[in-house]
Amino acid sequence: MDGKTIARQCTLCEAHCGILVTVEGEQVTRIEGNPDDVLSKGYICPKATAMGGLHHDPDRLRTPVRRVGDSFEPIGWDEAFREIGQRLRAVRAAHGPSAIGMYMGNPAAHSSSVIYGVALRTALLTRNFFSASSIDQFPQEFVAWRMFGANVLMPVTDIDRTDRLVILGANPAVSNGSITTMPGAKLRIRDVRKRGGTVVVIDPRRTETARLADEHVAVRPGGDVYLLLGMLHVLVTEGLCDERAVRAQCAGWDELSGLVATTTPDRMAVHAGVDADTIRRLARDHAAAPSAVLYARIGVCLQTTGALTHWLVNTINAVTGNLDRVGGQMFATPPVDIARYGKYLPMGYGAWTDRSGTQKSFRGELPVSVLAQDILAEGPDRIRAMITYAGNPVLSTPQGGRLDEALESLDFYVAIDMYVTETTRHADIILPPVSPLEREDLNLVFPVFSVRNNVRFDAPVFEPPADGLEDWQILARLLTEVVPLPARRVTGRALTGVLEQLSPLRLTAAAIATGPYGILRKGRKGLTVNRIRSTAGGVDLGPLVPRLRELIGTKDRKVQLTPPDLLAALHAVLDEADTATSAGYDLQLIGRRHLRSNNSWLHNIPSMMKGRDRCTVLVHPDDAATRGLADGDPARVESSVGTIVVPVEVSDDIRPGVVAIPHGWGHREPGVGWQVAAAQPGVNVNLLHDPTRTDPLTGTAAVNNTWVRVSPVVTERDAADSDRIGVPAAG
């Protein structure tokens, strides 16, 4: 049988590497990197090859299903939407709009359907909106807002032209970049060194990225903020900054100088876990390099000092002249220039809070760490119905083991998902979108954070089934059901008819036409969707260029080096700085990620599950020896809120006093619909994290510095626990 090959992108992670998908009939036979892709240039990681397995997975839902007892049965689309509308409207009528909550997971950002996700959230008129951003990037967005005047102005690392790359709490050799989209990051890092540059990785673990670097600095978890303060002290007090240039671009130099006057490397070293001489050298080398950039990501983001660390990262880049500069931190010029309009978007910071009054709203949502409590706490304002769009918050967020109970207690729950997961198994109705290979798309989000300006089209590989719906179509139908309409039978059909014509691709086409490369600005040579569609490897729009002056949204049009709330939070941290352990817990737990695993998405694809167990606790040999642990032994890992049992992996890649466990595992709950995943070992590490322990400015859960203790499994009861998902702590 003759085959065909389609050029598109892998949409399983932020890199969106270009792929060539070969099919024969209705079967994917091969997936390989596209050498003509303007961003990934032929590179792919093993995850890309799973796109075929995802499409063909027999466990993937192909039709809506409705809960009947402890199982699900098929239901027609019209009947499903009718029941959903009736039940959601009933909840809203009885308890108000905020009785309906909505959660949007990371996969939503991987297609332009996110436009309709935002539209549905708006139509609900609820204060109880949550997303994966508050377990991912809120501190970076908050800092961008405070320093540059817009949350979307998160700077991109110009890795392809820098002379010095310093990476904190990120592992781009595995992730291929995040909020700095850089497919083929391994090759890009090697290219920095090939052209005579230097790469330094600051991380408690010798990561896959650290192995490619010139230097690895094993910082103590939570120590990054102190290390950066020590560096700033050196930069300021030794006159390594061009003060005149800094004052021209930034506000707050005098306050910053006063702040770091006492944060000497000798004082900061004990809290950073890095010696003072290394801190001094890192600062001096950064200032001396022709161009240099600090790049930080999720490892430092998900800590109580997440916002502070990202603030100091941006500040060091700014005062050394590496902000909005080739080879430093820059801002992309995407085909739909979202960043240009970000300063006009209200953040609504603190406009409302969670039900406890503790966590503030930010950009129209609450941190997901409060979701379980806001469902379970009795009272007139509790969440009584939920909509989830993608994501698996039962596994991916710390809820003290209570989110299962919370979701089960809801009056009604509808999920948009391709699987019956640990989360969606609690749903009353699940609405499955078609496979990614059955839709065409043009992503708007990731070009905003790419290391080179570009735009690429996702061509469909297969025709969608006649009775299948794309994500946006499902969201649009839900929107028509929740919008208050008079004479709903008539006006509802009319609204549905209008929305059916407004696909995200049509909306994107209009936005591109008015964008920086569009036909309304460039004339006949301007960019159009048809031109992008006809270019199999995408359109290269050139290198990043300095443009902060046109984007910045602060009142004085300057970068704010010392935002008051960040200053106050930093003083609190300095006053409380302490390296002591807590209540008998003597090890610090951090997360880690594997090349073949992306959260919980790929655990049902057999090709991704080959090899040894990857859900292990990584322990330094010295720590293993003092606890009587050997490689492969089951170990009990306990925190103040929970206990799990996992196999030990002994390695000197981890700093002494630190252990690491990946998240996204634990698929053995009853009713889970992915059979391959359910047969895998692994436990839910988020059972160990206290949901009340957060970054105080954004409410982002601090899951990368939890105090734990690790001990051998020594009793029959302990051995039995090794087959369990994990248990919350007593009380």
Side-chain angles (χ1 to χ4, degrees):
M1 182 181 293
D2 292 335
K4 63 177 181 178
T5 299
I6 307 295
R8 56 167 292 130
Q9 284 88 55
C10 166
T11 57
L12 294 177
C13 82
E14 189 172 323
H16 275 219
C17 297
I19 57 176
L20 298 174
V21 183
T22 300
V23 299
E24 293 186 2
E26 295 300 313
Q27 185 71 34
V28 175
T29 58
R30 181 178 176 82
I31 294 179
E32 57 190 332
N34 181 3
D36 296 325
D37 187 273
V38 296
L39 193 61
S40 58
K41 300 183 185 302
Y43 172 87
I44 58 170
C45 81
K47 289 190 289 292
T49 62
M51 291 286 286
L54 183 69
H55 176 78
H56 297 301
D57 190 348
D59 290 338
R60 180 168 65 84
L61 296 175
R62 268 76 171 176
T63 184
V65 294
R66 176 171 51 194
R67 171 174 297 283
V68 178
D70 293 330
S71 60
F72 290 94
E73 67 176 15
I75 182 177
W77 285 105
D78 289 340
E79 185 180 359
F81 285 119
R82 186 163 52 250
E83 180 174 341
I84 292 167
Q86 290 170 350
R87 297 187 68 174
L88 289 178
R89 292 194 299 273
V91 169
R92 183 173 59 194
H95 305 288
S98 291
I100 302 173
M102 180 176 174
Y103 174 82
M104 193 154 64
N106 258 342
H110 291 253
S111 80
S112 57
S113 295
V114 69
I115 297 170
Y116 272 96
V118 173
L120 176 60
R121 179 261 181 274
T122 303
L124 287 170
L125 299 174
T126 179
R127 292 184 170 188
N128 288 311
F129 178 74
F130 310 85
S131 80
S133 294
S134 59
I135 192 69
D136 188 310
Q137 68 201 43
F138 259 16
Q140 283 177 273
E141 291 193 46
F142 183 87
V143 167
W145 172 50
R146 286 308 202 204
M147 293 188 76
F148 309 127
N151 69 309
V152 295
L153 293 181
M154 294 179 281
V156 175
T157 299
D158 191 18
I159 187 173
D160 293 338
R161 295 181 290 181
T162 194
D163 297 292
R164 180 175 176 81
L165 173 64
V166 182
I167 301 171
L168 297 90
N171 191 8
V174 168
S175 70
N176 286 296
S178 179
I179 312 186
T180 284
T181 304
M182 46 176 151
K186 284 184 179 180
L187 304 177
R188 296 177 192 272
I189 290 168
R190 287 169 180 161
D191 285 346
V192 175
R193 300 182 66 192
K194 279 184 180 180
R195 59 178 179 263
T198 302
V199 179
V200 179
V201 172
I202 300 173
D203 198 289
R205 182 169 74 93
R206 188 187 301 113
T207 62
E208 293 83 351
T209 302
R211 295 180 195 133
L212 303 173
D214 296 279
E215 181 180 5
H216 171 227
V217 178
V219 69
R220 183 179 67 83
D224 309 85
V225 67
Y226 304 104
L227 184 150
L228 295 172
L229 284 168
M231 289 178 63
L232 267 173
H233 172 89
V234 174
L235 292 168
V236 172
T237 60
E238 294 186 5
L240 302 179
C241 307
D242 184 341
E243 182 179 336
R244 183 176 178 180
V246 174
R247 288 183 182 276
Q249 185 186 47
C250 306
W253 170 261
D254 292 333
E255 292 88 345
L256 181 70
S257 300
L259 171 69
V260 301
T262 60
T263 61
T264 65
D266 295 292
R267 182 185 169 200
M268 296 295 101
V270 64
H271 305 301
V274 176
D275 66 84
D277 287 342
T278 298
I279 295 174
R280 292 187 183 93
R281 177 173 52 79
L282 289 170
R284 293 164 183 164
D285 289 350
H286 205 78
S291 65
V293 62
L294 291 176
Y295 166 59
R297 192 51 190 105
I298 203 163
V300 298
C301 208
L302 303 186
Q303 302 205 36
T304 57
T305 55
L308 295 177
T309 303
H310 282 287
W311 164 44
L312 295 174
V313 164
N314 291 352
T315 298
I316 288 177
N317 285 327
V319 301
T320 56
N322 288 296
L323 175 64
D324 201 36
R325 173 189 179 189
V326 170
Q329 280 185 323
M330 303 191 76
F331 300 90
T333 310
V336 178
D337 202 1
I338 300 170
R340 178 181 289 275
Y341 307 105
K343 56 193 169 189
Y344 303 114
L345 299 175
M347 290 297 100
Y349 184 53
W352 62 88
T353 69
D354 70 315
R355 295 183 64 201
S356 72
T358 304
Q359 301 295 355
K360 297 178 179 179
S361 60
F362 175 60
R363 68 145 160 93
E365 63 180 273
L366 291 169
V368 70
S369 58
V370 303
L371 177 57
Q373 83 164 23
D374 279 10
I375 295 174
L376 289 171
E378 292 296 334
D381 298 324
R382 62 177 292 216
I383 299 172
R384 299 171 182 272
M386 278 294 299
I387 301 171
T388 62
Y389 172 31
N392 193 358
V394 165
L395 289 189
S396 62
T397 68
Q399 305 282 341
R402 303 178 71 205
L403 193 52
D404 276 314
E405 176 191 355
L407 293 174
E408 199 62 34
S409 74
L410 291 167
D411 294 348
F412 185 65
Y413 167 28
V414 56
I416 305 166
D417 204 289
M418 298 165 64
Y419 288 100
V420 181
T421 70
E422 291 72 28
T423 298
T424 65
R425 69 193 179 103
H426 298 287
D428 294 282
I429 294 178
I430 305 176
L431 306 173
V434 298
S435 153
L437 297 184
E438 293 173 332
R439 65 186 185 216
E440 62 178 1
D441 202 3
L442 201 160
N443 189 275
L444 302 177
V445 175
F446 298 127
V448 178
F449 304 109
S450 289
V451 296
R452 188 173 177 89
N453 295 316
N454 72 95
V455 60
R456 299 174 293 161
F457 188 78
D458 265 329
V461 175
F462 300 104
E463 286 293 323
D467 59 347
L469 295 180
E470 294 186 35
D471 303 57
W472 75 269
Q473 293 171 312
I474 295 172
L475 291 161
R477 287 286 300 272
L478 288 179
L479 193 153
T480 65
E481 292 292 342
V482 301
V483 171
L485 292 173
R488 176 169 295 277
R489 287 188 179 181
V490 177
T491 54
R493 284 196 295 268
L495 180 58
T496 299
V498 171
L499 293 179
E500 284 176 349
Q501 302 304 311
L502 293 178
S503 72
L505 200 57
R506 287 192 174 186
L507 297 173
T508 300
I512 287 174
T514 60
Y517 312 97
I519 55 176
L520 295 184
R521 292 196 183 186
K522 301 292 185 180
R524 294 176 61 186
K525 294 183 179 180
L527 202 60
T528 66
V529 168
N530 284 338
R531 180 188 166 195
I532 301 166
R533 183 188 276 115
S534 65
T535 310
V539 180
D540 180 22
L541 299 172
L544 309 185
V545 297
R547 63 186 307 239
L548 180 57
R549 286 179 64 86
E550 65 178 291
L551 298 176
I552 196 162
T554 56
K555 290 182 179 179
D556 60 3
R557 310 281 299 165
K558 287 189 174 185
V559 175
Q560 304 301 302
L561 294 180
T562 53
D565 43 10
L566 286 160
L567 272 179
L570 183 60
H571 283 301
V573 166
L574 289 173
D575 290 343
E576 298 170 4
D578 194 354
T579 57
T581 60
S582 174
Y585 300 102
D586 56 351
L587 296 169
Q588 291 175 281
L589 170 64
I590 62 173
R592 59 181 169 133
R593 175 174 177 166
H594 293 284
L595 193 61
R596 288 178 173 267
S597 179
N598 189 27
N599 302 335
S600 62
W601 295 13
L602 300 183
H603 295 167
N604 208 55
I605 310 302
S607 62
M608 295 295 102
M609 292 294 100
K610 294 179 179 178
R612 61 179 296 179
D613 181 4
R614 294 196 290 276
C615 185
T616 62
V617 55
L618 196 68
V619 184
H620 188 273
D622 293 347
D623 292 324
T626 59
R627 290 160 178 78
L629 297 168
D631 198 73
D633 285 352
R636 177 178 290 275
V637 184
E638 299 173 82
S639 73
S640 62
V641 300
T643 301
I644 61 175
V645 174
V646 287
V648 171
E649 184 178 346
V650 179
S651 172
D652 61 5
D653 283 341
I654 195 81
R655 174 189 166 104
V658 182
V659 295
I661 303 174
H663 92 280
W665 298 87
H667 304 293
R668 296 183 179 180
E669 294 283 7
V672 170
W674 36 22
Q675 298 179 56
V676 174
Q680 302 300 317
V683 291
N684 182 0
V685 70
N686 278 308
L687 292 171
L688 298 176
H689 301 308
D690 183 350
T692 66
R693 191 169 175 273
T694 63
D695 170 51
L697 292 168
T698 66
T700 302
V703 299
N704 260 327
N705 187 7
T706 292
W707 285 102
V708 298
R709 57 175 170 251
V710 180
S711 57
V713 170
V714 295
T715 68
E716 290 185 8
R717 178 178 176 182
D718 286 341
D721 281 345
S722 66
D723 289 327
R724 298 169 63 193
I725 291 291
V727 293

